[in-house]
Amino acid sequence: GSTVPANLVVTNVLRRDPSSGEIVVQLTVANTGSIAATAVRPTAVRIGTTATTATLPLPLGDIAAGLTAITTIRVPGNAGGAG
């Protein structure tokens, strides 16, 4: 078989923290390639025009082929409607 470079697929799940009103983003980064992705680090997280208040880039480290990294990032509650 041929070697496929690292290929990162990013998905997210959003929920609202009932205590703070912030939007909690569960960010999943999957490497669907056949070699490791090294030094993975998201550099921007936004909902609409509202950015996270977290310090970025957020180091996720290396993601081996076929594996995923999951992290949680918070965005101010004013980024989206209630619900």
Side-chain angles (χ1 to χ4, degrees):
S2 62
T3 300
V4 177
N7 182 52
L8 299 179
V9 177
V10 179
T11 57
N12 61 68
V13 175
L14 307 178
R15 70 174 177 83
R16 189 171 297 274
D17 182 326
S19 299
S20 68
E22 292 176 305
I23 299 169
V24 180
V25 181
Q26 178 182 301
L27 194 66
T28 302
V29 182
N31 180 1
T32 62
S34 61
I35 62 173
T38 57
V40 176
R41 53 191 180 92
T43 58
V45 175
R46 296 184 186 285
I47 297 176
T49 59
T50 305
T52 181
T53 55
T55 301
L56 296 176
L58 179 69
L60 296 179
D62 298 345
I63 304 174
L67 295 182
T68 61
I70 300 173
T71 192
T72 301
I73 299 173
R74 292 176 172 264
V75 176
N78 61 357

